[in-house]
Amino acid sequence: MNHPHRHPNEHEEAPPFFEPILEYYNGLPPITRTWFSLSLLVTTLNTLDVIPEHQLIFLWDRVKSPHLELWRIITSFSWAGPGTLVDFPVLFLLYSMILSTSSYEMNPHDASYGGGRQRRGHHTMSDCLFAMLCCSLLIVGSYLLVAETSLLHPILHAFDLDRSVLQPLFTRTLEYAILTLDSLRDPDRQVNINLFPVQGRYVPLVHLAFGIFMGYRINEIVHGIMVAFVYVFLITEDGSLATMMGRRRLIYTPALIVQMVGEEVDEGVSEETITVQEGGNILHYAAQANDLSVFQRQLEELESVLNSSTSLVSIAAASAPFRQQDMNGWQPLHEAARGGHLEILKLLLEIDDNRDDNLQHNNERTVRRRGNKLKVDINSRTNNGKGCTALWLAEEIHGADSDVSRLLRENGGVSVGYDEDSEEESTGGRSDNDD
């Protein structure tokens, strides 16, 4: 009986047992998959005694000249020890790494240069990578500050601590920094920890309590939580320190990182780089690009007029750009609704969007309208009153259950589409000249 010849290099499919594992692994986001793979490799080599522990930890005397053992910088962030792959804390760290890092990679804090792109989605990988790099630098820097200098000796002595309060091993610290960032990014999300539902904001505290209960070392958990809060402070828009320095943020994701991961570099929107055409103004284009800073500058100008003038004509003229229509009757409101830009819609509609602690059981929002200075009509229609409303756009493009649709609906938005005789409908809501 003749058997077909199989070339030794011919690709063989994985056994059925491994197929779901490989499918899950390949489905992990790129940064998570890379960090987990490196950590699993380094931990496996240590478990098999191929690489001893003392070659993996961060030793400053060995990293700096003349030794330059720079690999320790990488292995100290990728060894899941102390311990081996048969130890529960090691396995739990690797498991937690997959869950928290993949979640944060899909929805990281916005650290972009322009800011205000809450729903943009196209810079998620670079923002996540930047967060991990910054947290890593903060971890190493704080370790060196404690272990290699005498600056903090009075504080350590006051709390009866010594330099070993921080270990030269940073994987666990970075993991808890990312876990904390993920909880801060979506504090109202329900997370299941060992089948127990926990609100996102409390996840780091639950891990801390679990470590104390199990008698584990919690220094790295506390260190990671502190690092996460420092990073959030550094990237917060319009913080007091950033404002004093004349910056939107103290730090932001460099264009080099954005380019390195293959994402599109967004230079933001400014009056110098935008050409106003076809009746639109700078706010139309800022609404498309989701650049909140342009709206905030325009709002500051309006506030200045309100504080210095009582003339109704002057006030109306200062607020008019927020309601200005282009040649198709589109206002910045419609552009923001089409793009799904929640923060710009809140600004245009003068909304304070807060969650009432007494209503957490049904996750309802309490919405408060501020003073009606901008006078933007939430139900204004495009195309000289024959086109669509902002809510109709949001529902058609983002879905009726999207955050932007709910926000508009909760504030009196009505979903009205195009009239049958509207030319705008045949062009998808925009004229060929608009874009």
Side-chain angles (χ1 to χ4, degrees), residues 143 146-150 153 156 161-167:
Y143 169 79
V146 170
E148 300 295 334
T149 71
S150 59
H153 277 188
L156 296 177
L161 301 172
D162 56 33
R163 294 188 178 189
S164 63
V165 66
L166 297 181
Q167 289 185 339

Side-chain angles (χ1 to χ4, degrees), residues 362-393:
N362 58 8
N363 204 32
E364 291 182 5
R365 272 197 294 250
T366 59
V367 180
R368 184 174 73 254
R369 295 294 294 269
R370 298 193 293 265
N372 189 20
K373 296 176 293 188
L374 305 184
K375 302 186 184 303
V376 174
D377 181 3
I378 193 172
N379 290 317
S380 61
R381 298 177 66 181
T382 62
N383 198 25
N384 296 319
K386 298 179 180 180
C388 62
T389 60
L391 178 57
W392 187 89
L393 279 168

Side-chain angles (χ1 to χ4, degrees), residues 87-134:
D87 297 321
F88 175 77
V90 173
L91 295 174
F92 184 77
L93 176 61
L94 293 171
Y95 172 72
S96 180
M97 177 188 297
I98 291 176
L99 295 183
S100 59
T101 309
S102 60
S103 176
Y104 188 68
E105 185 173 351
M106 300 301 292
N107 186 32
H109 286 86
D110 179 12
S112 57
Y113 177 77
R117 292 192 291 263
Q118 297 293 330
R119 295 175 57 86
R120 74 208 185 288
H122 65 284
H123 282 174
T124 53
M125 189 185 303
S126 56
D127 282 349
C128 178
L129 180 59
F130 180 65
M132 295 184 70
L133 291 175
C134 286

Side-chain angles (χ1 to χ4, degrees), residues 30-67:
I31 296 175
T32 304
R33 185 168 63 245
T34 301
W35 189 27
F36 171 74
S37 300
L38 182 60
S39 298
L40 183 62
L41 174 63
V42 172
T43 307
T44 300
L45 292 176
N46 174 253
T47 301
L48 298 175
D49 292 328
V50 176
I51 304 178
E53 295 181 5
H54 67 85
Q55 292 288 335
L56 300 174
I57 59 177
F58 183 89
L59 298 177
W60 179 239
D61 289 337
R62 305 297 299 182
V63 172
K64 67 180 182 180
S65 180
H67 303 289

Side-chain angles (χ1 to χ4, degrees), residues 190-244:
Q190 292 294 323
V191 179
N192 289 323
I193 300 180
N194 296 331
L195 303 181
F196 292 98
V198 178
Q199 205 170 27
R201 68 180 83 248
Y202 301 121
V203 168
L205 296 179
V206 171
H207 280 265
L208 183 61
F210 179 76
I212 295 174
F213 176 78
M214 296 296 294
Y216 297 151
R217 177 184 166 95
I218 63 171
N219 300 42
E220 285 65 43
I221 300 179
V222 176
H223 190 194
I225 293 174
M226 294 174 63
V227 164
F229 275 95
V230 172
Y231 174 74
V232 170
F233 169 77
L234 293 174
I235 64 166
T236 297
E237 281 190 282
D238 300 322
S240 56
L241 184 56
T243 302
M244 290 174 56

